[in-house]
Amino acid sequence: MNDRHSLITQAGRLYQKISPLFSFMDYFLGLPVTLRKTNEVPAIILLAPPRSGSTLTYQLISESFDSHRLTNVWNLLFATPRFGGLLSKQMCGCRPRGFQSNKGFVPGLCGEAEGLQFWKYWSGISIDIKETDFNEKKAGRLKNILQKLVSDDEVFVAGYLGHVLAVKEMEKLFPGALFVYLKRDLLSNVYSLYQASPDKWFSVKTDSYYSDNEYDRYHQVAGQLLDIHQLILENRPERCIEITYEDLCKSPQRELERLLDFADKVGIRIPDPEFRSIPGSFQYKKVYESYDVHSKALQKALENELKLRIREGHDILNSLLA
């Protein structure tokens, strides 16, 4: 699984299509998990737009804390979560990580996975707002498995972008979770979205995807980004900390320590961090309106979309102007 389009990855996706047929084997293959005692699951759940630095943030949190995170091998075995989780822990628990990704895809069996198949199957949360239908019963079964799989001294980390479409449901499922709201400079974020896919929709499908207005691509990506921020802000969990991508790149350790302090203040138990493998900083790109013709058009689209939404009564978006 070193590339989205490699033969190994394609074979893995073929297996995923038939894997629910083998779900009955999970009880036996994952017997060591089944026999464990149940723990309360401390969780860190990332809420972020695409191209906001979410993969790097996911990797940094997973690396800094003794975590159980979704990996490519676990996502491959999504229909047998006990076995997949055990295998992932055995294979990937101590491997060094490199903070590399390609449009959210981290290569290798042990690479951090967003987990579209995993979360859609177990919770009904898609990356399409019209296909998302939260399944409380199946999500509860998944949580019961995680309560046995994640040990007392670990934290479960989720970095699935689709969770922005079901914030309240995730808060109810994991009432003791810490939510991390990741923000990036709006123009830099929308520019990165546009560059990732200048001619068709990319990643989370929000209401703007189904809009009857025949907007150009600049207005589409602006609407998509603001849709996601609006969803997060209007459904913001009680235990939620804001982190900016730029600050995280400037000083990863400082921002992760701030996350830990916040968790302590709101009574969320998170394992002590380990920062030895964390770089002192990361390079990041900040886009200004004068950068090129696309940045100018995107800045105008953002301003128009923001003004329209605030006029319609979505004053909560004023916070994005700061």
Side-chain angles (χ1 to χ4, degrees):
M1 288 193 175
N2 292 319
D3 184 85
R4 286 184 188 271
H5 306 293
S6 69
L7 288 176
I8 295 176
T9 302
Q10 295 302 317
R13 286 176 176 166
L14 178 62
Y15 171 77
Q16 282 185 322
K17 291 180 179 179
I18 63 171
S19 61
L21 296 174
F22 307 112
S23 60
F24 71 94
M25 299 174 61
D26 193 43
Y27 182 87
F28 305 101
L29 293 172
L31 196 59
V33 175
T34 305
L35 297 175
R36 287 180 186 173
K37 69 175 184 177
T38 299
N39 301 304
E40 187 56 43
V41 184
I44 299 176
I45 298 171
L46 183 63
L47 301 174
R51 309 302 299 163
S52 64
S54 58
T55 304
L56 176 62
T57 306
Y58 183 18
Q59 291 173 310
L60 282 168
I61 293 172
S62 297
E63 175 73 9
S64 300
F65 301 98
D66 194 355
S67 66
H68 212 60
R69 73 214 180 275
L70 197 63
T71 59
N72 288 324
V73 67
W74 195 2
N75 189 44
L76 174 66
L77 301 169
F78 70 90
T80 50
R82 295 178 183 87
F83 176 63
L86 277 176
L87 186 62
S88 175
K89 194 167 187 176
Q90 291 297 317
M91 291 177 58
C92 311
C94 300
R95 79 172 184 91
R97 299 166 204 162
F99 306 107
Q100 300 297 316
S101 67
N102 179 15
K103 293 183 179 178
F105 178 76
V106 182
L109 287 171
C110 292
E112 289 84 359
E114 272 194 54
L116 170 59
Q117 294 296 333
F118 184 92
W119 287 107
K120 187 175 181 181
Y121 181 80
W122 284 105
S123 70
I125 302 172
S126 174
I127 58 167
D128 186 328
I129 194 166
K130 288 202 172 182
E131 292 181 3
T132 292
D133 184 14
F134 186 72
N135 189 321
E136 186 175 358
K137 185 176 180 180
K138 285 188 73 173
R141 284 172 56 197
L142 174 64
K143 182 183 176 181
N144 289 337
I145 293 169
L146 293 175
Q147 285 178 317
K148 292 177 179 289
L149 190 59
V150 180
S151 60
D152 288 333
D153 56 350
E154 293 178 317
V155 62
F156 178 68
V157 182
Y160 177 45
L161 294 181
H163 285 151
V164 299
L165 303 178
V167 176
K168 289 297 184 184
E169 290 83 355
M170 288 298 293
E171 185 179 21
K172 184 178 179 181
L173 184 64
F174 295 101
L178 170 63
F179 288 81
V180 177
Y181 173 22
L182 180 66
K183 299 170 74 173
R184 183 181 181 182
D185 169 69
L186 283 181
L187 181 56
S188 301
N189 197 161
V190 80
Y191 187 90
S192 184
L193 259 175
Y194 176 80
Q195 290 293 311
S197 185
D199 56 357
K200 61 182 180 180
W201 197 272
F202 176 80
S203 191
V204 181
K205 292 180 180 177
T206 62
D207 284 334
S208 290
Y209 178 78
Y210 296 99
S211 174
D212 292 331
N213 298 316
E214 294 183 359
Y215 281 150
D216 59 29
R217 187 71 186 118
Y218 301 124
H219 282 83
Q220 283 180 347
V221 290
Q224 178 188 18
L225 181 58
L226 294 179
D227 277 348
I228 291 170
H229 279 294
Q230 189 172 321
L231 283 167
I232 297 171
L233 288 167
E234 291 180 347
N235 299 283
R236 181 172 176 148
E238 183 179 350
R239 297 173 173 182
C240 182
I241 181 173
E242 286 188 18
I243 289 181
T244 68
Y245 173 64
E246 291 80 9
D247 287 343
L248 191 68
C249 288
K250 290 175 186 176
S251 182
Q253 182 172 334
R254 182 188 63 203
E255 291 305 295
L256 291 167
E257 287 175 341
R258 194 166 70 83
L259 182 153
L260 190 64
D261 289 342
F262 178 82
D264 185 58
K265 287 178 182 176
V266 298
I268 298 174
R269 177 180 58 82
I270 294 179
D272 291 334
E274 176 57 70
F275 297 127
R276 281 183 300 181
S277 58
I278 301 296
S281 63
F282 292 89
Q283 291 186 334
Y284 67 93
K285 180 178 181 179
K286 185 174 175 64
V287 175
Y288 295 92
E289 184 178 358
S290 58
Y291 187 75
D292 60 20
V293 293
H294 302 301
S295 61
K296 291 176 182 177
L298 287 164
Q299 179 65 34
K300 184 176 180 181
L302 273 172
E303 290 173 353
N304 290 341
E305 279 290 312
L306 262 175
K307 287 177 183 176
L308 175 63
R309 290 170 189 240
I310 291 171
R311 267 202 315 268
E312 290 176 346
H314 300 291
D315 295 334
I316 200 165
L317 293 175
N318 279 315
S319 64
L320 299 178
L321 300 173

